[in-house]
């Protein structure tokens, strides 16, 4: 028989007590509030504390840059990096000043390395247009202690470096394990809860349980990202028999909206973990899943969606008509499919605050696992959601005009740039038609 030594027994007891305390704290401060949809204000206090730290770090960075004669770049209000217009000669001098210890008076008018500068400027002129800018992350005016490979975020002082190092420890050693545990809890409860609800006979009781199981699990997942969401004009929330359309920045847009409303999701059938979640969810709620072979059949998709919205007892459909993720600065042209059905459209504008973490998913640069890791190691996800009044297609309006009118309303409310462009080379990252 295996016997524990007194020291080993003490470690086991301490570990058991620590896990019990941790589970109790999760239950009291996160899971139970998620069930009832309440908040103790801890996340808002956390956000205010971070803002004060960021403000101090930014002031220290600006002061250090002035002392070292480094140029500071400021972003425009739409998040795109802004550089003061300078001549090519001045820019080359700035590059030589930062990369060489020689006096500028002793440097020749032309160096062989200048060729690379001219090549880069030519490529920037070709590539950096109004559309491609929307597929790169926003630039921040303040330092959020997350990036050290940006225009301004370079070594300034020992104190800032130590502060950044402490931030890494907090985010990776405390926040990341906590968030993974919460995400696992939320997803597990969603699969188990919807599966159990699926065995109940159809009726009001089943619908009531399904709604609250979905809301509870999505709220737990929201807390797994330390998401601080402000919902505006809730009286305009989507209703049964309608279509909810929103601008698209991130895959977590679904969680952000579903933690405040009960929606029927639209998407392609997947395998693996996502497939398990989809099969469980559809047992409790009439979501609309398509097989891979059906997705490209626009008439079949439109038919199934039309049948869904014609039944006024069914949940509103959640759709992201842009078809791709845009970097939180703009709204691109909407696909017209969801505007041809003839249902009432409920526009929703989503705007993230990038100070605490960049929610934009650049699918050409990051895979889903890498993206989720970046989200869970951010300080927080802060965003505002506006529910706009319902809109219907007018008699003299075609589907494209209706889509553009809805898009303009979303852009105007969210403070986003309304782009009249359609991007073809994208990867879908949300329900779209």
């Amino acid at each position: 028989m295996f016997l524990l030594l007194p020291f080993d027994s003490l470690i086991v007891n301490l570990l058991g007590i620590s896990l019990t305390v941790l589970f109790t704290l999760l239950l009291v401060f996160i899971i139970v509030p998620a069930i009832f949809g309440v908040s103790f204000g801890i996340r808002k206090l956390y956000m205010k504390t971070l803002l004060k730290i960021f403000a101090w770090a930014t002031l220290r960075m600006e002061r250090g840059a002035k002392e070292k004669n480094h140029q500071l770049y400021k972003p425009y209000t739409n998040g795109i990096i802004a550089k003061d217009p300078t001549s090519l000669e001045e820019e080359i001098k700035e590059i030589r000043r930062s990369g060489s210890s020689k006096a500028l008076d002793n440097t020749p008018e032309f160096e062989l390395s200048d060729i690379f500068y001219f090549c880069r400027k030519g490529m920037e002129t070709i590539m950096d247009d109004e559309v491609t800018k929307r597929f790169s992350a926003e630039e921040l005016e303040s330092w959020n202690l997350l990036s050290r490979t940006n225009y301004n975020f370079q070594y300034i002082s020992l104190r800032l470096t130590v502060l950044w190092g402490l931030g890494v420890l907090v985010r990776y050693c405390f926040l990341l394990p906590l968030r993974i545990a919460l995400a696992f809890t939320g997803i597990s409860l969603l699969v188990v809860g919807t599966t159990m609800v699926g065995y109940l006979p159809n009726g009001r009781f089943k619908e009531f349980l399904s709604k609250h199981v979905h809301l509870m699990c999505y709220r737990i997942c929201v807390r797994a990202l330390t998401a601080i969401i402000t919902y505006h004009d809730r009286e305009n929330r989507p209703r049964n028999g309608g279509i909810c359309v929103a601008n698209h920045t991130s895959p977590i847009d679904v969680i952000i909206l579903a933690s405040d409303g009960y929606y029927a999701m639209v998407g392609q059938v997947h395998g693996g973990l996502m497939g398990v979640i989809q099969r469980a969810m559809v047992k409790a709620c009439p979501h609309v899943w398509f097989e891979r072979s059906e997705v490209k059949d626009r008439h079949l998709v439109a038919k199934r969606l039309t049948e869904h919205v014609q039944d006024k007892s069914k949940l509103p459909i959640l759709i992201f008509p842009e078809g791709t993720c845009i970097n939180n600065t703009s709204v691109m042209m909407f696909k017209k499919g969801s505007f041809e059905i003839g249902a009432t459209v409920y526009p929703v504008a989503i705007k993230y605050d990038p100070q605490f973490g960049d929610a934009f998913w650049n699918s050409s640069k990051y895979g889903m696992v890498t993206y989720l890791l970046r989200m869970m190691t951010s300080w927080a996800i802060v965003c505002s959601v506006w529910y706009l009044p319902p809109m219907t297609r007018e008699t003299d309006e075609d589907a494209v005009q209706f889509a553009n009118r809805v898009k303009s309303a979303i852009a105007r409310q969210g403070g986003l740039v309304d782009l009249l462009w359609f991007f073809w080379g994208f990867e879908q990252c949300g329900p779209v038609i």
Side-chain angles (χ1 to χ4, degrees):
M1 183 177 179
F2 181 74
L3 296 176
L4 288 175
L5 296 175
F7 181 71
D8 295 334
S9 178
L10 178 62
I11 293 177
V12 171
N13 289 335
L14 288 175
L15 183 60
I17 294 172
S18 300
L19 290 175
T20 302
V21 171
L22 178 61
F23 179 76
T24 303
L25 291 174
L26 289 177
L27 188 67
V28 172
F29 289 102
I30 296 178
I31 296 177
V32 172
I35 294 174
F36 295 101
V38 297
S39 174
F40 295 127
I42 298 174
R43 285 174 293 170
K44 290 188 177 180
L45 178 63
Y46 168 72
M47 182 180 70
K48 291 178 181 178
T49 304
L50 286 176
L51 283 174
K52 291 181 180 179
I53 296 174
F54 296 164
W56 176 84
T58 302
L59 289 174
R60 184 67 188 87
M61 181 186 66
E62 291 176 349
R63 192 188 315 152
K66 282 184 179 179
E67 292 172 358
K68 297 183 179 182
N69 293 322
H70 287 160
Q71 183 180 1
L72 285 175
Y73 299 107
K74 299 287 185 180
Y76 293 117
T77 55
N78 62 7
I80 303 301
I81 195 71
K83 301 179 185 179
D84 294 330
T86 56
S87 65
L88 296 179
E89 292 82 359
E90 290 175 342
E91 290 192 24
I92 291 176
K93 286 180 180 179
E94 178 64 28
I95 293 172
R96 291 179 181 176
R97 182 184 296 113
S98 59
S100 175
S101 58
K102 299 178 181 178
L104 288 177
D105 295 335
N106 299 331
T107 56
E109 291 185 4
F110 176 80
E111 291 182 353
L112 189 61
S113 60
D114 294 342
I115 294 175
F116 298 105
Y117 167 77
F118 289 117
C119 290
R120 178 172 63 84
K121 292 297 292 183
M123 291 299 294
E124 284 180 358
T125 303
I126 296 172
M127 298 294 295
D128 201 23
D129 55 47
E130 283 301 309
V131 177
T132 52
K133 283 179 181 178
R134 313 302 165 173
F135 295 92
S136 58
E138 293 180 87
E139 292 289 343
L140 301 180
E141 185 171 354
S142 62
W143 187 27
N144 59 6
L145 304 179
L146 291 179
S147 174
R148 293 185 60 85
T149 55
N150 213 321
Y151 286 104
N152 301 324
F153 309 145
Q154 49 192 305
Y155 177 80
I156 298 295
S157 70
L158 179 62
R159 280 187 296 175
L160 277 181
T161 304
V162 170
L163 182 62
W164 173 79
L166 289 174
V168 171
L169 289 176
V170 170
R171 290 186 291 112
Y172 282 88
C173 298
F174 176 72
L175 292 179
L176 179 59
L178 176 63
R179 289 168 175 174
I180 290 175
L182 285 174
F184 178 79
T185 302
I187 293 172
S188 300
L189 288 175
L190 180 64
V191 172
V192 174
T194 51
T195 300
M196 293 176 65
V197 170
Y199 288 110
L200 297 175
N202 293 332
R204 290 187 177 181
F205 182 64
K206 178 179 180 179
E207 183 179 347
F208 173 83
L209 281 183
S210 176
K211 175 181 179 180
H212 286 84
V213 166
H214 278 83
L215 287 174
M216 175 189 70
C217 296
Y218 283 125
R219 286 168 181 166
I220 293 174
C221 291
V222 158
R223 283 162 170 79
L225 297 169
T226 316
I228 304 164
I229 313 166
T230 305
Y231 297 98
H232 303 271
D233 304 320
R234 280 178 156 168
E235 66 276 9
N236 295 326
R237 280 186 292 188
R239 300 183 180 181
N240 289 2
I243 297 177
C244 173
V245 299
N247 58 298
H248 204 19
T249 300
S250 162
I252 65 173
D253 293 340
V254 177
I255 302 174
I256 297 294
L257 294 178
S259 64
D260 189 54
Y262 190 31
Y263 298 95
M265 307 295 177
V266 180
Q268 180 181 304
V269 174
H270 293 276
L273 176 62
M274 183 60 71
V276 172
I277 297 172
Q278 286 181 318
R279 289 191 293 273
M281 289 172 62
V282 80
K283 291 178 183 177
C285 175
H287 298 289
V288 185
W289 305 131
F290 294 96
E291 296 292 340
R292 183 181 294 273
S293 58
E294 298 176 330
V295 172
K296 296 181 180 179
D297 189 341
R298 293 182 57 85
H299 296 291
L300 176 62
V301 173
K303 179 182 177 183
R304 289 189 57 184
L305 294 184
T306 302
E307 291 172 353
H308 183 100
V309 298
Q310 286 177 347
D311 187 345
K312 300 303 178 183
S313 65
K314 289 188 176 181
L315 300 176
I317 295 174
L318 178 58
I319 291 178
F320 301 99
E322 285 171 298
T324 187
C325 294
I326 310 298
N327 73 349
N328 196 43
T329 65
S330 317
V331 183
M332 277 196 159
M333 185 178 290
F334 284 179
K335 286 190 169 185
K336 66 177 182 178
S338 53
F339 300 91
E340 293 176 323
I341 298 174
T344 301
V345 171
Y346 294 86
V348 176
I350 306 174
K351 177 68 174 177
Y352 291 90
D353 186 344
Q355 290 183 92
F356 305 91
D358 184 18
F360 169 58
W361 180 35
N362 187 344
S363 57
S364 63
K365 188 175 181 181
Y366 303 110
M368 179 58 74
V369 175
T370 304
Y371 171 76
L372 291 176
L373 179 63
R374 288 169 60 88
M375 289 296 94
M376 288 192 170
T377 54
S378 297
W379 292 111
I381 299 298
V382 180
C383 72
S384 295
V385 175
W386 290 272
Y387 296 107
L388 279 68
M391 302 174 71
T392 54
R393 184 173 165 183
E394 298 177 354
T395 53
D396 58 344
E397 212 174 29
D398 59 26
V400 174
Q401 292 171 329
F402 183 30
N404 287 335
R405 183 160 60 91
V406 173
K407 176 172 69 75
S408 297
I410 290 175
R412 187 166 53 251
Q413 180 64 73
L416 304 166
V417 178
D418 185 4
L419 290 178
L420 299 176
W421 288 88
F422 184 81
F423 188 72
W424 291 95
F426 61 76
E427 239 181 79
Q428 292 182 9
C429 55
V432 58
I433 174 173

